[in-house]
Amino acid sequence: EQLANRIAAGEVVERPASVVKELAENAIDAGATEIDIAVEEGGLTFIRVRDNGSGIEADDLERAFQRHATSKIRTDRDLFRIATLGFRGEALPSIAAVSRVSCLSAADDSGLGRKIVLEGGHVRSIEQAASPKGTEIVVRDLFFNTPARLKYMKTIQTELGHISDCVNRLALSHPGIAFTLTHNGNPLLRTTGGGDRLQVIAAIYGAAAARQMLRAAADHPDYRLEGWLSKPELTRANRSGITTIVNGRYIRSFAIQQAILEAYHTLLPTGRFPLVVLEVGMHPGLLDVNVHPAKQEVRFSKEAELKELVESALRRALGRTAH
Ligand code: ADP
Ligand code: MG
């Protein structure tokens, strides 16, 4: 049972950034408007995610750490969530199986909540505790009981880079949520939660970059598209500045990325890439759900049409005529 848990955990928890992602997504699902993330040593020794969301009812706290304990109903409207997030009801038990976790949560404003402490998946204590409404989860000593996995961890800087990328993407996909990220006490990101994506771009890439952005938007019977793209003068050394969001979630799409680069074709020097944050809204039925969930990849049933729409919207924003 314990071994099975640890093996299953390996599929969900690949590295510290996966923990941050799962915990922050739970906070988003809980309707949080503020999410504070603190990590130490690249997240290997300490990860804390605090939110002001709905909280977990005292009676549900222990169950939340048991396998397949999802409280999230699967309806047609959830198709997309299932497609991209995949591991329903597995995150908390998986994280708990390979670390020392404490979770303090309150589902109301009484000031009183409940705290559970687990070690390697075993419940060590569960008791009443003072807590504001919301949830705070602390994950210490990730992979302490799976030394083989621990050995695969890269440098602190590399693990922190993955965490930072992950939080940046979440902040860009949710401009209405105020995020903070600190590493060893040093602030790395702070967004205001005002809903303005350009402000999030400024917080991540700097005010100077944000001033170089052009707005793109398009409406179409099947798709709604809106975002920001850099003027051709502002380029980057790699594709990491291209963020695509579908129905509110960060995704990777080779097709959309191709269409973006096509719009810039010949405008950028070889080996240089733009800074682009693009959100596409569509009916979940237009998404192919049969793609491996862990990779955040999706396919679209009307891909050619979508590519055409993306490319033409970006060309317009860049002041280029249709091709
Ligand atoms: P899932 O998110 O797929 O439902 P998880 O293992 O991530 O599974 O979480 C289990 C359950 O714990 C969730 O369904 C939710 O009810 C509860 N939960 C976890 N994190 C939070 C949070 N930050 N705020 C409120 N509820 C939470
Ligand atoms: Mg979850």
Side-chain angles (χ1 to χ4, degrees):
E1 161 77 359
Q2 278 305 306
L3 181 63
N5 270 345
R6 272 185 268 159
I7 290 168
E11 287 178 35
V12 183
V13 190
E14 196 191 337
R15 59 190 342 149
S18 356
V19 173
V20 170
K21 176 173 179 288
E22 293 295 338
L23 297 182
E25 284 181 341
N26 280 347
I28 293 166
D29 290 345
T33 57
E34 287 168 26
I35 302 178
D36 294 310
I37 302 163
V39 300
E40 289 172 15
E41 310 305 324
L44 288 165
T45 59
F46 181 91
I47 296 169
R48 186 186 64 218
V49 177
R50 200 184 268 159
D51 71 61
N52 66 346
S54 64
I56 305 173
E57 296 284 350
D59 289 345
D60 296 334
L61 188 58
E62 190 166 0
R63 206 173 328 131
F65 285 87
Q66 289 163 3
R67 220 152 266 288
H68 302 296
T70 182
S71 66
K72 296 160 194 172
I73 314 151
R74 302 181 182 200
T75 65
D76 272 358
R77 282 179 31 238
D78 286 342
L79 265 182
F80 178 70
R81 295 168 37 82
I82 291 166
T84 53
L85 304 180
F87 310 106
R88 304 283 75 198
E90 302 233 342
L92 291 187
S94 297
I95 292 164
V98 292
S99 67
R100 303 181 221 273
V101 174
S102 75
C103 174
L104 172 66
S105 192
D108 59 36
D109 284 315
S110 67
L112 198 62
R114 193 171 251 211
K115 183 178 180 177
I116 187 170
V117 177
L118 300 99
E119 210 176 290
H122 298 284
V123 178
R124 293 295 179 222
S125 66
I126 179 156
E127 60 196 11
Q128 282 201 335
S131 170
K133 185 178 176 194
T135 303
E136 177 189 279
I137 300 193
V138 177
V139 177
R140 287 192 172 82
D141 307 327
L142 188 62
F143 304 132
F144 80 95
N145 56 355
T146 52
R149 171 72 65 167
L150 192 56
K151 249 189 268 169
Y152 276 99
M153 292 304 111
K154 305 280 195 279
T155 62
I156 285 171
Q157 218 41 52
T158 300
E159 296 307 331
L160 178 61
H162 286 287
I163 291 170
S164 181
D165 287 349
C166 162
V167 177
N168 288 347
R169 286 167 188 154
L170 290 170
L172 285 167
S173 337
H174 302 277
I177 299 177
F179 283 90
T180 63
L181 172 65
T182 65
H183 183 242
N184 295 345
N186 304 310
L188 295 185
L189 179 71
R190 170 180 294 276
T191 67
T192 60
D196 178 357
R197 211 188 303 271
L198 193 57
Q199 271 186 5
V200 181
I201 292 172
I204 295 170
Y205 299 106
R211 276 194 296 274
Q212 295 287 311
M213 303 299 280
L214 303 164
R215 203 180 122 76
D219 260 312
H220 177 273
D222 288 324
Y223 306 106
R224 189 185 44 76
L225 197 145
E226 77 110 37
W228 295 93
L229 62 158
S230 54
K231 292 178 185 166
E233 302 81 67
L234 181 84
T235 66
R236 297 168 59 84
N238 58 50
R239 294 158 195 252
S240 68
I242 300 177
T243 302
T244 45
I245 299 156
V246 172
N247 292 359
R249 300 273 173 180
Y250 166 82
I251 57 111
R252 276 193 269 210
S253 157
F254 181 70
I256 295 183
Q257 195 177 93
Q258 246 187 341
I260 289 169
L261 295 177
E262 209 45 55
Y264 279 93
H265 186 60
T266 70
L267 288 181
L268 304 180
T270 323
R272 300 295 296 182
F273 297 90
L275 181 59
V276 176
V277 180
L278 194 66
E279 173 161 33
V280 185
M282 67 182 73
H283 187 277
L286 292 173
L287 290 163
D288 181 355
V289 297
N290 295 317
V291 182
H292 193 277
K295 297 193 175 126
Q296 299 166 320
E297 276 168 29
V298 296
R299 294 209 192 88
F300 308 100
S301 43
K302 298 187 188 173
E303 183 178 292
E305 203 181 327
L306 177 59
K307 282 176 73 170
E308 182 58 42
L309 186 73
V310 169
E311 188 183 335
S312 63
L314 266 61
R315 290 182 76 96
R316 255 199 323 279
L318 288 163
R320 311 183 93 180
T321 48
H323 60 152

